[in-house]
Each structure stands twice: as C-alpha cells, then as structure tokens.
Amino acid sequence: MKDLFGREINYMRISVTDLCNLRCRYCMPASGVQKMRHDDIMSEEEIITVIEAASELGINKIRFTGGEPLVKKNIVSICRRASRISGIDEVCLTTNGILLPPIADELRDAGVSRINISLDTLKPERYSYITRGGVLREAMQGIDAAIKAGFRVKLNTVLIGGFNDDEISDLAGLTLSMDIDIRFIELMPMLEGFSEGKFIASQKILDTLQEVEALGTDGVAKMFRLKGARGSIGFISPVSRAFCANCNRIRLTADGYIKPCLHSDTEIFVRHKTREELKSLIINAIQAKPESHTLNLYHHSQSLRTMNRIGG
Ligand code: SAM
Ligand code: SF4
C-alpha cells in the first residue's frame, strides 16, 4: 500500500533477535545486550502471523536480520514458512556470515533468495578489532558457503574513516574476481565514538575509484560497475544524501514493535493481536512513516535503540 507521501511500501525487515555472536563497535555497546526474557521475544508463530497480515497489505519482500539472524535456532524454519506465504515473492537475509557454512544449503532449500553479508575489511586484525573478536577467515568461509549454495551474495561494507578508507579499492576489487556485489554504506551516528570523526561521505570514495561506469539506481543505492567486473558496486548514503523519497520499507523488531522509520522513536506494538487488529496496526505504521528522517552528521538518530535492536 502507499504511505501518505505516495511511496509504495512493499518491504518489511524483520529482526528476529537482538543477540549477536559479534560486537561491532558502531552497532553494539561493548557490554553487548541484556538478554531479553524468552516471552519478550516474538515467537516463530507470531512472526509468521505478522508476515501473513502484512502480505495482505502489499508487503511482498521480507528480509530477516538482527542482531545476528543465524543465532536464532529456528531461522531455517522461519524462512521456509515465510517463503511459502502467498504474496511473498522474496525472502532475504542479512548476516555477518560466520554461522552460514553448515546451513547455507538448507537456507537455499527453505526459499531464501538472497543473502547480504557484512564485511568491513579484508585484514584479519582489523576485522577482529571492529567486531571485537571476530575471525575474518570464518566470515570468508561464510561467503564461500553462500556462493557454493547458489546464492548471489551482496557484501555490505560500512565506510569508517581512519579504519577502512584505505581498503575501498581492494573491497571493490572483489567484484572483479568473484560473482558478488558490494554496497558501501555511510556510517550512521548511532553510538559514541562512531560519528563525525569517523564519517566519510560516499561521494568521496566514489571519486577515488578508477574506471567505473554508472548503472543508475537500485532502490536506495546509486549503482556502478568497475570495468570488466562480474558484480556491481553500490553506494548507500543515508547521511549525506537522504534517500527517504525512495523508502519502501517498515521494520519489525524482535520484541514486537513496528518501526515506521529506522531513525524515528515511533514504535507500534503488534504482539497478542488478532489478524484484523494486526492489519490495522500495520496500516497505522505505514501511515506514520515520516517524509524523511532527521539524521545527519550532527543530529544523531532519534531511535531509542542501537542498531542491533533495530535490524540495520
Ligand atoms: N548481524 C547482521 C549483519 O551484521 O549483517 C545483521 C544485522 S546488522 C545490524 C545489519 C547491518 O547494519 C550490517 O550491515 C551493519 O554493518 C549495519 N550497521 C550497523 N550499525 C551501523 C551504523 N551505525 N551505520 C551503518 N550501518 C550500520
Ligand atoms: Fe552483530 Fe551485525 Fe551488529 Fe555486527 S553489525 S554487532 S554482526 S548485529
């Protein structure tokens, strides 16, 4: 359905857990997260019911995220059931990839059509630093497993000044040798220490890439390809180039709130409702989408949650 600004809202991102096996410095506090009580988390049944209600309102694309969606024990079953719901055309996942190797094939069989894997660096010591202890080799094994299972993998790389700005051409260069796409995402100021000083505008990076051809836009990303490359490069600029005019999504948090906008503090509780109540709450959420978010370099997100509790 359309929101009040004429945008067609057809995409729901669902955080199935706020827990994670990593602790990325720009996403989660060092202390990690306080584990929620089992009863405070949406059950598989509840998630499926929300998707069914949303599909009746025109949502046809679902992305499971987190926290880390693969730490959720029943993620394969959730994906399988979601992909069978009438009206749902695409079920996707965003993951750090570490837990992918044993279940990549199962996810493919369960109807997941695309996997995005987050990777901010190709240097093991930097990976360990930014994720607070992650092992790069394990993330790379996750990428390989997804490709072997037949997925077209997209990498998500957050641009962080003074951290990975010297690796952009190496990361972009992966599209020359592998069948993958990569999206560079501007750092959103959500956590102390990861704001102005670490921000790099995507345009600044784009200016440094040699021999790129423009491919137009894909949703909220501006797309390019290196000459001779097998995959595309995209730039997502939530800070420097507010992309809200093309926003097509709502978000569901693991504790059962629909967020009309990533950066707003508006949240609508959707647990313990009948199907009809759910549908009208989803309509309210779509109608509550602001025209644009107010996030910029100096004005932090108004969301009351850190990214792992929203779903990125
Ligand atoms: N754990 C999964 C992963 O890392 O892909 C899914 C959840 S994570 C919150 C989703 C995406 O949000 C990741 O690509 C991550 O890099 C991105 N993200 C987290 N905090 C961010 C921030 N402050 N600015 C920009 N992107 C951020
Ligand atoms: Fe975990 Fe993803 Fe956040 Fe990193 S970005 S801490 S992998 S939820």
Side-chain angles (χ1 to χ4, degrees):
M1 69 174 267
K2 282 201 174 15
D3 72 0
L4 298 182
F5 304 95
R7 296 170 296 199
E8 190 68 42
I9 309 303
N10 68 334
Y11 178 19
M12 188 183 243
R13 293 176 73 109
I14 301 179
S15 171
V16 290
T17 177
D18 60 348
L19 299 178
C20 187
N21 49 348
L22 300 178
R23 297 265 179 285
C24 300
R25 290 173 186 266
Y26 49 77
C27 173
M28 243 197 217
S31 53
V33 287
Q34 220 184 346
K35 204 164 186 266
M36 285 192 271
R37 287 186 322 132
H38 181 72
D39 287 351
D40 292 335
I41 306 272
M42 301 267 283
S43 67
E44 173 172 338
E45 226 42 62
E46 287 178 282
I47 292 173
I48 295 300
T49 309
V50 174
I51 300 174
E52 285 169 349
S55 72
E56 289 173 27
L57 296 168
I59 298 288
N60 60 10
K61 174 173 173 184
I62 299 292
R63 177 174 297 279
F64 292 113
T65 172
E68 172 49 44
L70 303 189
V71 303
K72 183 100 173 165
K73 291 209 166 45
N74 48 351
I75 187 68
V76 174
S77 167
I78 295 175
C79 290
R80 180 174 296 110
R81 291 179 65 184
S83 69
R84 289 182 181 159
I85 294 171
S86 141
I88 298 299
D89 303 328
E90 245 187 281
V91 173
C92 312
L93 263 177
T94 296
T95 167
N96 58 41
I98 305 273
L99 300 174
L100 263 177
I103 59 164
D105 287 329
E106 278 181 78
L107 288 167
R108 186 86 192 147
D109 292 344
V112 174
S113 49
R114 291 168 195 234
I115 295 194
N116 287 9
I117 300 179
S118 301
L119 186 76
D120 300 330
T121 173
L122 295 171
K123 297 188 189 290
E125 65 289 356
R126 289 189 184 176
Y127 189 81
S128 171
Y129 168 78
I130 202 72
T131 60
R132 295 195 181 97
V135 178
L136 177 65
R137 181 176 25 85
E138 295 178 359
M140 298 306 281
Q141 285 166 349
I143 295 170
D144 284 345
I147 294 172
K148 284 203 183 92
F151 287 106
R152 176 81 195 184
V153 171
K154 201 185 274 178
L155 299 182
N156 281 348
T157 300
V158 180
L159 296 167
I160 307 164
F163 174 72
N164 61 5
D165 39 351
D166 59 346
E167 288 189 69
I168 304 304
S169 62
D170 292 343
L171 285 157
L174 295 176
T175 63
L176 292 167
S177 55
M178 296 170 79
D179 288 314
I180 52 168
D181 303 298
I182 186 160
R183 299 285 176 272
F184 293 104
I185 303 168
E186 284 178 350
L187 176 69
M188 294 180 263
M190 308 286 282
L191 273 176
E192 209 59 27
F194 279 85
S195 49
E196 298 94 275
K198 301 269 193 303
F199 176 81
I200 326 173
S202 1
Q203 188 60 44
K204 195 166 163 201
I205 298 304
L206 187 51
D207 292 343
T208 66
L209 291 177
Q210 311 280 321
E211 305 213 39
V212 283
E213 66 169 310
L215 301 177
T217 56
D218 173 19
V220 293
K222 256 176 130 176
M223 304 298 302
F224 300 86
R225 186 185 297 276
L226 292 178
K227 201 168 170 202
R230 290 149 74 171
S232 62
I233 303 175
F235 288 87
I236 304 183
S237 318
V239 180
S240 68
R241 173 181 171 269
F243 49 43
C244 307
N246 297 325
C247 184
N248 61 347
R249 60 196 65 180
I250 51 175
R251 293 180 152 82
L252 175 64
T253 66
D255 53 349
Y257 291 85
I258 293 193
K259 284 183 73 70
C261 169
L262 170 63
H263 294 299
S264 126
D265 58 3
T266 304
E267 301 188 340
I268 296 171
F269 191 56
V270 295
R271 297 191 67 192
H272 317 304
K273 309 290 180 206
T274 63
R275 174 79 65 95
E276 283 316 302
E277 286 168 342
L278 259 178
K279 278 172 69 175
S280 81
L281 288 171
I282 296 169
I283 292 171
N284 291 350
I286 290 175
Q287 290 181 336
K289 277 184 74 61
E291 186 170 16
S292 68
H293 64 61
T294 52
L295 173 90
N296 61 39
L297 257 192
Y298 310 101
H299 189 178
H300 283 209
S301 178
Q302 288 174 336
S303 175
L304 305 171
R305 297 166 181 262
T306 46
M307 201 63 111
N308 66 293
R309 296 191 56 234
I310 305 172

